[in-house]
Amino acid sequence: MKLLTSGAKLALRLRDSNRRHFWGWLNAVFNKVDYERIKAIGPDRAAAEWLLRCGAKVRFQGFERFHYDYNGLPTGPLGKYKIQAIDASESCIMYRGFDHLDGLKHVEEIKFNRCIYIEDACLERLSSIQNLQESLYMMEVVSCGNVTDKGIIALHKLKNLEYLFLSDLPGIKDKQMTADRLRTALPRLDLVLDLE
């Protein structure tokens, strides 16, 4: 009986492992950047399609509500709709897809809440995008377990960042040093910490 129980447990672990591998692979496919598509439809539309495909939401300039339905994206002339805010809560966006953000010039707000694939490299990449350094002024990073002090400190390049909310980030080991570095680099920053 014990042999059967051990065999059944092993089979369940293998099944769960294969399931996780499949979803990880699928999420990587969703994050693949199609540079030809970006050229054809423009950076804002291409980024919106990527974000919605991965389970995030976007708000365009002139709209009060976020769009979350891929099929409900507004249509019109190329370049008409500009992304103003991104809510990536519980989405599967990952570093591989961050090239979609390169052409965005009007993003003012980004939320990363419970994003399992967001890591330091993502925040470093986001902070290195010239357009976002100019436009982004509000950001939240909450319950992203792969983010450490290194990724948060990289946000100092976002020179117009006025509000940053950080919560439930177990990878942050030296919260005082991290906060001091951000406040020194960004004196106008309203930094709200909930990192106990």
Side-chain angles (χ1 to χ4, degrees), residues 95 98-100 102 120-129:
Y95 180 84
F98 271 55
D99 282 0
H100 284 100
D102 281 337
D120 292 341
C122 298
L123 298 181
E124 290 167 345
R125 174 72 174 96
L126 179 122
S127 299
S128 71
I129 298 171

Side-chain angles (χ1 to χ4, degrees), residues 146-191:
N146 296 318
V147 171
T148 69
D149 302 81
K150 181 181 176 186
I152 298 301
I153 290 170
L155 299 177
H156 81 277
K157 294 179 183 176
L158 300 171
K159 55 188 166 199
N160 288 320
L161 196 62
E162 295 177 7
Y163 177 81
L164 177 61
F165 178 64
L166 304 174
S167 178
D168 188 26
L169 300 171
I172 294 189
K173 301 301 181 197
D174 191 346
K175 94 175 165 181
Q176 190 59 50
M177 182 271 303
T178 300
D180 289 345
R181 293 205 39 201
L182 284 173
R183 287 184 176 123
T184 300
L186 302 167
R188 293 187 338 234
L189 179 65
D190 178 12
L191 179 60

Side-chain angles (χ1 to χ4, degrees), residues 59 66 84-86 107-111 136-139:
R59 188 179 71 234
F66 279 85
Q84 185 174 25
I86 297 169
V107 178
E108 298 175 352
E109 177 183 347
I110 295 180
K111 293 180 182 180
L136 193 61
Y137 73 87
M138 289 181 60
M139 191 166 179

Side-chain angles (χ1 to χ4, degrees), residues 54-70:
C54 291
K57 298 177 269 192
V58 298
R59 188 179 71 234
F60 294 100
Q61 286 181 331
F63 287 79
E64 290 184 24
R65 293 190 292 171
F66 279 85
H67 287 79
Y68 58 89
D69 180 3
Y70 185 92

Side-chain angles (χ1 to χ4, degrees), residues 80-97:
K80 179 178 180 182
Y81 298 102
K82 305 293 184 190
I83 296 176
Q84 185 174 25
I86 297 169
D87 183 350
S89 297
E90 298 182 354
S91 71
C92 70
I93 65 169
M94 59 181 66
Y95 180 84
R96 180 178 189 178

